[in-house]
Amino acid sequence: QVQLQESGPGLVKPSETLSLTCSVSGGSISSYYWTWIRQPPGKGLEWIGYIYYSGTTNYNPSLKSRLTISVDTSKNQFSLKLTSVTAADTAVYYCARWIDSGFGIFEYWGRGTLVTVSS
Amino acid sequence: DIVMTQSPDSLAVSLGERATINCKSSQSVLYSSNNNNYLAWYQHKPGQPPKLLIYWASTRESGVPDRFSGSGSGTDFTLTISSLQAEDVAVYYCQQYFDTPYTFGQGTKLEIK
């Protein structure tokens, strides 16, 4: 059974960079699409972007100028970097894997990690 | 962006009764070349990650009880729970994967009456 685990600082200062890593166990990161999704407190789900194991990415235009998603197949991990954060970036951040057949259907999810942007 | 709008925002249903949640997309998510609707439903309980219930608008994910069903096509979709159980209390989201950015509905909170 594939398992995903988010890790990274729970507190980030405004204007700094938010960095998170998703570690994948129980399966290879290869041949799948991997994604980041977030949920601000009291709000709904927002798709951040995805990366294919080969490195191909697609970002939400609302975040594209500040966002980098990368993959490290040797460590079976993928990562998110979001620059110049503000309080609006405070959210639970989830990593997820697409279903086998792809298409942006999110089958496996990490438990999520809360990131608070505050000085 | 494709805007997904769910109704109602919240819903209270008695145990054993039917619950119906609606989802409307701002443009069709039906891909004519394969006749598939690019629409999924998720269940989200507090402190847990969202759980995939339904995809392709009506295909139940493995392990999901058959009291959950999805229907609809084009721009109008429905998630139905045929006989509500206590463990179904959650927020439910629809999501389109027809085009990026993938977008979710605002969520429908389902409670026991």
Side-chain angles (χ1 to χ4, degrees):
Chain A
Q1 176 81 346
V2 175
Q3 293 187 325
L4 293 84
Q5 178 68 58
E6 304 88 352
S7 60
L11 181 64
V12 181
K13 290 183 168 54
S15 79
E16 296 190 345
T17 296
L18 183 162
S19 297
L20 295 174
T21 296
C22 182
S23 299
V24 180
S25 60
S28 173
I29 204 166
S30 297
S31 303
Y32 290 101
Y33 286 83
W34 305 88
T35 198
W36 289 97
I37 293 160
R38 70 181 183 180
Q39 183 175 34
K43 296 187 178 181
L45 298 165
E46 179 184 27
W47 174 73
I48 296 171
Y50 72 66
I51 188 164
Y52 190 46
Y53 80 101
S54 62
T56 301
T57 57
N58 191 313
Y59 298 155
N60 192 321
S62 67
L63 299 169
K64 189 172 184 177
S65 63
R66 301 190 289 131
L67 180 63
T68 302
I69 299 177
S70 59
V71 64
D72 187 336
T73 54
S74 67
K75 293 182 179 180
N76 234 34
Q77 294 176 338
F78 63 105
S79 301
L80 172 152
K81 288 189 188 301
L82 187 65
T83 63
S84 305
V85 298
T86 69
D89 295 309
T90 294
V92 175
Y93 284 76
Y94 296 98
C95 58
R97 198 200 84 178
W98 290 16
I99 203 166
D100 282 357
S101 52
F103 299 107
I105 304 164
F106 310 125
E107 184 176 28
Y108 295 101
W109 295 66
R111 297 198 64 85
T113 187
L114 174 62
V115 179
T116 302
V117 178
S118 175
S119 55
Chain B
D1 297 6
I2 298 176
V3 177
M4 308 299 290
T5 304
Q6 293 180 226
S7 61
D9 290 335
S10 63
L11 180 63
V13 175
S14 300
L15 289 173
E17 297 299 305
R18 178 185 300 261
T20 300
I21 298 169
N22 300 301
C23 175
K24 189 175 184 68
S25 57
S26 62
Q27 64 186 75
S28 176
V29 297
L30 172 64
Y31 193 35
S32 56
S33 65
N34 58 18
N35 206 38
N36 281 333
N37 287 283
Y38 285 53
L39 189 285
W41 289 97
Y42 298 85
Q43 176 192 66
H44 196 190
K45 297 181 179 179
Q48 297 183 22
K51 175 185 177 182
L52 175 66
L53 296 176
I54 303 281
Y55 54 96
W56 299 126
S58 60
T59 299
R60 200 178 302 115
E61 167 73 333
S62 175
V64 173
D66 60 7
R67 65 179 180 274
F68 291 90
S69 63
S71 62
S73 185
T75 61
D76 293 281
F77 300 91
T78 300
L79 174 70
T80 301
I81 308 172
S82 60
S83 177
L84 189 70
Q85 305 299 303
E87 61 265 31
D88 300 335
V89 169
V91 178
Y92 291 84
Y93 293 94
C94 61
Q95 176 234 336
Q96 65 80 20
Y97 47 97
F98 182 85
D99 194 13
T100 59
Y102 304 130
T103 49
F104 294 85
Q106 80 277 18
T108 295
K109 186 175 184 179
L110 178 58
E111 299 173 312
I112 304 295
K113 186 186 291 183

